[in-house]
Amino acid sequence: MARIAVIGAGLGAMSAAARLAVAGHRVTVYERSGTFGGSLGRHALDGFTFDTGPGLLHLPAVYRDLFVKTGKEPLERCVTLTQVDPASRHVFADGTDVSLPNASRAGVVGALDAALGGGAGGSWGAFLDRAGDAWDRSRRPLLEEPLRPDWQVLTRDPYPAPVRRRLLRPALRAGTVTEVGSWELADPRLAALLDGYALSYGLDPLHAPASTALLPYMEETFGSWYVSGGMRALAQAVYERCLARKVEFVFGAEVARVLEKDGRAAGVELADGTVAEAAHVVLGARPHAGLIPAQELWQDGDVTVQPRPRGSAPTGRFLVLLSLRGARPADAVHRTLVHPADGGAEREAVFGGRLATHPTVTVLRPDDPSTRPDDAHEAVTLTATVAPHGPVDWTDEGLRARFADTLIDAAGAAVPALRDRMLRMEVRTPAESAAETGAPGGAVPAPALAGAEGGYLHAGNRTRLPGLFLAGGWSHPGGGPAHAGMSGALVAGLIVEGDGFRGSQ
């Protein structure tokens, strides 16, 4: 039995803590804020509640595995999961409106053919087939194994883009999301659909590799799930599982630095000078040189020091939380994306550190009584991907109000008479996210992607300092609840089984 210090109480860190405790270790989690969950926050006021982080769960198998491995109660006994159907509705600038069923390839193809015509469904289906090939090629090294020492194998894009032959000129293959949309999908609405997937994960379609296709493939193949009570309920369940496994939590405890002794991690020092010795340290927050000597993480040849492509820098999220009068209609769709007419202008603004005039807006309307005071009201969340705090001054009240109005105007295409129903509006920006989570600028890490010479990979779960491991969205395999849970499983495997651990079988 070893003493293990975990820094941060996000999903990745707590997933590692629960698994390590079951393996017999004494685990203490140190969290700078007053609560658990990291980005999975909750805002509650006057009977309305809202998720302030991700609103849906993908790949629930990650947390089913966690709960099976750490106790007798399965995940579905601790939270209620419901498949969202339709998975998403899409409203395009030309007025086209299409709803895509959950986890049904044939249903998606049929819906696109009916709404867009011209073989659009077949074109999207062929794209998903190629994305499935990329998933099969890269799933294990990208998601299920610790980042390999020869991580350079992931610098090659696994997406099998078809060849575009040109008269008297060299043949071309799509290498980015934008090129896939232009060359393989043809219909600008399908291209906007693909761009929407990339943007929702904070990726610039103009530069993100073609392997971004794994993200829509993952959602449309394995489905989108809603956690009753919101995603915060999942964080609560993981926290309670940790407590049941005797994990100790210390809140309001900011870790100032990782201690080193005899060439390995030896514990943590808190901001108040308290020292906690440990045989292993798990860092569940974004690594930085003030916390850990830079040379212990970054060294020539490591993935973390490769040139970062434009568009790979993390973005933030702007949320408008709306308390509405009037019941949620029975035919309301849980998630609607309202696409702008000029996606290129949005990309240039977001990834150029400016405010988008016409952003892609995601509208979440959960059919969940716990989110509203009664059935005569509705809680609705509007979200847009934006530049983090710093490039844009998200503390500017006028700017916040103007951009909130922009999102509300766009969301009117998804929620009729939206402004007439508004009782209260709360705005959350990357500035609030930075203050609450400690993430610089309130940035949100994207999932790891293969290709682009490794520019979209994250730091490996092992570090150059023996005994120090990285978990959570800022490490392999990247951001999002599912990926964070995977990182926790990988770190626990490395500590319990040693460097010979090769991931789940």
Side-chain angles (χ1 to χ4, degrees), residues 4 7 23 28 30 56 99 111 133 187 212 235-236 238 254 278 289-290 363 374 407 415 448 461 469 473 505:
I4 297 176
I7 304 172
T28 302
Y30 299 92
L56 292 172
S99 292
D133 289 343
D187 189 310
T212 304
Q236 176 81 36
V238 176
E254 183 172 2
V363 182
D374 53 52
L407 267 62
V415 186
N461 307 111
F469 300 86
Q505 301 297 322

Side-chain angles (χ1 to χ4, degrees), residues 41-265:
R42 173 181 288 163
H43 179 80
L45 184 66
D46 295 340
F48 292 92
T49 63
F50 306 86
D51 279 327
T52 58
L56 292 172
L57 178 64
H58 305 294
L59 291 179
V62 173
Y63 290 95
R64 290 190 179 113
D65 181 71
L66 170 66
F67 277 72
V68 166
K69 299 288 177 59
T70 59
K72 295 180 180 179
E73 283 189 311
L75 176 64
E76 275 81 358
R77 245 186 238 174
C78 301
V79 297
T80 300
L81 295 178
T82 305
Q83 277 196 303
V84 175
D85 203 4
S88 58
R89 175 188 174 204
H90 297 265
V91 180
F92 298 100
D94 66 355
T96 306
D97 188 323
V98 59
S99 292
L100 304 181
N102 198 342
S104 170
R105 176 75 62 84
V108 168
V109 168
L112 289 172
D113 272 337
L116 308 186
S123 179
W124 186 260
F127 157 71
L128 287 181
D129 286 340
R130 293 188 290 275
D133 289 343
W135 173 268
D136 291 338
R137 294 177 183 183
S138 61
R139 171 180 57 86
R140 187 157 179 78
L142 188 66
L143 301 176
E144 298 177 354
E145 297 178 347
L147 193 63
R148 294 157 49 164
D150 61 339
W151 57 266
Q152 288 83 357
V153 299
L154 290 171
T155 63
R156 296 188 291 272
D157 197 318
Y159 180 77
V163 176
R164 292 184 73 237
R165 304 198 179 280
R166 303 182 299 168
L167 185 64
L168 302 179
R169 289 187 293 172
L172 294 175
R173 293 178 185 269
T176 67
V177 170
T178 296
E179 290 171 349
V180 171
S182 297
W183 302 350
E184 299 178 21
L185 299 177
D187 189 310
R189 294 164 296 185
L190 290 182
L193 178 63
L194 179 57
D195 281 1
Y197 276 108
L199 280 166
S200 68
Y201 286 95
L203 297 164
D204 182 356
L206 189 63
H207 298 278
S211 65
T212 304
L214 268 67
L215 302 177
Y217 174 83
M218 179 181 72
E219 290 195 22
E220 295 191 16
T221 301
F222 304 109
S224 298
W225 301 76
Y226 177 70
V227 182
S228 293
M231 286 290 285
R232 178 69 179 177
L234 176 63
Q236 176 81 36
V238 176
Y239 171 67
E240 291 177 353
R241 178 54 54 90
C242 286
L243 293 179
R245 300 284 80 82
K246 309 302 182 186
V247 174
E248 180 183 358
F249 285 80
V250 183
F251 294 108
E254 183 172 2
V255 174
R257 66 188 181 99
V258 173
L259 301 177
E260 181 180 347
K261 183 179 179 181
D262 298 330
R264 62 172 293 114

Side-chain angles (χ1 to χ4, degrees), residues 239-386:
Y239 171 67
E240 291 177 353
R241 178 54 54 90
C242 286
L243 293 179
R245 300 284 80 82
K246 309 302 182 186
V247 174
E248 180 183 358
F249 285 80
V250 183
F251 294 108
E254 183 172 2
V255 174
R257 66 188 181 99
V258 173
L259 301 177
E260 181 180 347
K261 183 179 179 181
D262 298 330
R264 62 172 293 114
V268 297
E269 180 181 340
L270 305 185
D272 64 5
T274 301
V275 170
E277 296 182 352
H280 303 282
V281 176
V282 177
L283 174 56
R286 189 173 188 175
H288 59 85
L291 189 63
I292 305 162
Q295 68 270 16
E296 304 297 357
L297 287 177
W298 302 295
Q299 180 171 322
D300 289 346
D302 282 352
V303 64
T304 43
V305 296
Q306 300 310 301
R308 313 305 287 178
R310 183 180 185 274
S312 68
T315 57
R317 302 292 183 271
F318 186 99
L319 279 70
V320 181
L321 313 177
L322 297 176
S323 302
L324 304 183
R325 62 171 64 88
R328 179 186 186 274
D331 62 351
V333 175
H334 186 111
R335 176 176 59 169
T336 300
L337 272 74
V338 182
H339 299 272
D342 188 353
E346 178 185 16
R347 294 193 301 265
E348 289 179 9
V350 172
F351 297 97
R354 302 189 307 279
L355 209 61
T357 305
H358 298 287
T360 300
V361 179
T362 299
V363 182
L364 295 181
R365 307 179 69 184
D367 186 10
D368 183 349
S370 72
T371 65
R372 53 190 184 250
D374 53 52
D375 287 341
H377 295 85
E378 182 181 7
V380 172
T381 302
L382 315 181
T383 308
T385 297
V386 295

